[in-house]
Amino acid sequence: MSTATTTSLYDRLGRHEGITRITRTLIANHLANPLVNARYGASDMDKVEQRVVEFFCAGAGGPETYTGKDMLGTHKGMNINEQEFVTVVDDAMAALETHSIDPATRNEVLAILWSLKGGVVRV
Ligand code: HEM
């Protein structure tokens, strides 16, 4: 029997299809969120979605290759603050809940996102 601790993160998130659904909800959450939506006003959101799916899949242990820039290269010069970072992480947690991802798996994603803070905030 497989459990949350023996199944890969990629599998628990629903592999490519599940991660694509989660990413679409995440981006919809950002665009509906007045704390961050203006940040995405000038972006090609289809491209951002594609890159975020790749990033998420590769980071969860999937076979996808991430073709975007690294976190520092992506966010450098945006002067993103701590509140915006927490907002984006909250939107991600809400997207995982929307897709019924279990709490232990949500915490695992939370820890990974938090570990990326240094390449995103005030860079
Ligand atoms: C751990 C948190 C975050 C992760 C993992 C993350 C990840 C990413 C990824 C993978 C991309 C696509 C990069 C590419 O196309 O090469 C991206 C783009 C972007 N991110 Fe983040 N991000 C995070 C936090 C934030 C925050 C807090 C903001 C500001 C509110 C932000 C604003 C943006 C914007 C505006 C773009 C689009 C840039 C463009 O148009 O090319 N991100 N992010």
Side-chain angles (χ1 to χ4, degrees):
M1 191 181 82
S2 63
T3 67
T5 47
T6 56
T7 311
S8 77
L9 181 58
Y10 184 69
D11 283 336
R12 278 178 279 138
L13 294 171
R15 307 178 69 83
H16 191 90
E17 269 187 38
I19 290 173
T20 299
R21 285 194 293 269
I22 291 164
T23 301
R24 288 188 178 141
T25 302
L26 166 65
I27 288 175
N29 290 350
H30 288 345
L31 295 180
N33 193 329
L35 291 172
V36 291
N37 59 5
R39 288 288 193 177
Y40 299 93
S43 298
D44 174 346
M45 292 315 286
D46 287 342
K47 200 166 176 187
V48 172
E49 177 187 304
Q50 186 198 324
R51 296 267 166 78
V52 173
V53 168
E54 290 168 5
F55 185 83
F56 213 154
C57 285
E64 291 82 353
T65 302
Y66 175 55
T67 61
K69 292 186 251 173
D70 66 16
M71 289 298 93
L72 189 58
T74 299
H75 301 99
K76 200 168 176 56
M78 291 189 196
N79 197 26
I80 292 168
N81 66 34
E82 285 80 359
Q83 184 190 39
E84 291 176 301
F85 183 79
V86 170
T87 300
V88 160
V89 172
D90 276 348
D91 282 350
M93 293 300 108
L96 294 175
E97 270 198 81
T98 298
H99 293 280
S100 305
I101 302 301
D102 66 277
T105 301
R106 296 203 300 264
N107 280 337
E108 212 174 309
V109 174
L110 175 64
I112 293 168
L113 293 177
W114 204 261
S115 77
L116 300 171
K117 188 176 172 212
V120 176
V121 173
R122 299 194 190 282
V123 291

